[in-house]
């Protein structure tokens, strides 16, 4: 079974250095997002809002981050370092990882309601932000399935 873990909370007690080395290895051969110029330089203005890893049992199979370079004019928060082993790639799994990152960002959303996706498209999360605020205030519409 595939599981998505919030690696910023480190609820599993992983060795963070070893985990980041494993993610770097995974990025080398399984990257879905294209790096931006300067991605390898983490300045003081870069905010890491969300970071997840995906496992299948004890095997690391994917990861992703949502960052914002807050000091850069008109920089959008963006999904970066998204990777997933080829045999696990399908629309559902990729969208679930992306959704997990966006949900975590939406708790603060300091960079605004538009996010740059791993594929370069702009994602408007205004409705998601409204729904989260309504839930926080105890006002929400039940979902009909």
């Amino acid at each position: 079974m595939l599981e998505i873990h919030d690696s910023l909370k480190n609820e599993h007690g992983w060795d963070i250095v070893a985990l980041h080395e494993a993610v770097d290895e995974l990025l080398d051969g399984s990257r879905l997002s294209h790096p931006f110029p300067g991605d390898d330089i983490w300045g003081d203005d870069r905010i890491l809002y969300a970071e997840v890893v995906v496992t299948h049992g004890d095997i690391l199979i994917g990861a992703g981050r949502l960052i914002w370079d807050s000091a850069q004019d008109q920089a959008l928060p963006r999904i970066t370092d998204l990777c997933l082993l080829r045999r696990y790639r399908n629309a559902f799994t990729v969208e679930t990882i992306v959704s997990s990152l966006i949900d975590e960002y939406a708790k603060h959303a300091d960079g605004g309601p538009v996010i740059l996706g791993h594929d370069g498209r702009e994602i408007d999360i205004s409705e998601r932000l409204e729904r989260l605020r309504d839930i926080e205030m105890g006002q929400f519409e039940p979902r009909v399935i």
Side-chain angles (χ1 to χ4, degrees):
M1 177 168 76
L2 300 183
E3 293 183 78
I4 297 177
H5 308 276
D6 182 339
S7 59
L8 294 179
K9 293 179 182 170
N10 195 15
E11 296 166 340
H12 296 280
W14 291 316
D15 176 350
I16 295 299
V17 173
L19 181 62
H20 282 274
E21 288 173 356
V23 169
D24 286 343
E25 273 184 43
L26 196 58
L27 281 166
D28 285 341
S30 302
R31 183 182 289 272
L32 292 169
S33 61
H34 301 287
F36 276 60
D39 264 359
D40 54 340
I41 302 167
W42 281 70
D44 293 338
D45 65 319
R46 180 165 290 171
I47 302 168
L48 177 62
Y49 279 98
E51 182 178 66
V52 299
V53 294
V54 184
T55 58
H56 184 206
D58 291 336
I59 301 168
L60 177 67
I61 64 156
R65 296 182 178 116
L66 198 150
I67 64 170
W68 180 42
D69 292 319
S70 61
Q72 293 182 11
D73 286 340
Q74 300 183 11
L76 294 175
R78 60 188 167 91
I79 294 173
T80 188
D81 295 340
L82 186 66
C83 56
L84 189 62
L85 290 176
R86 288 194 192 284
R87 75 180 252 200
Y88 296 96
R89 286 185 192 172
N90 59 58
F92 176 77
T93 305
V94 172
E95 286 303 314
T96 301
I97 296 168
V98 167
S99 184
S100 295
L101 292 167
I102 291 172
D103 284 345
E104 202 57 39
Y105 167 77
K107 293 177 182 176
H108 305 284
D110 298 325
V114 177
I115 292 171
L116 192 60
H118 70 284
D119 53 4
R121 68 188 162 101
E122 291 185 5
I123 304 167
D124 185 347
I125 64 166
S126 300
E127 289 181 20
R128 193 178 295 200
L129 292 173
E130 282 182 41
R131 189 170 60 243
L132 284 173
R133 286 187 190 118
D134 289 348
I135 290 170
E136 274 185 20
M137 295 171 51
Q139 304 167 357
F140 60 92
E141 302 256 339
R143 294 176 102 177
V144 177
I145 299 176

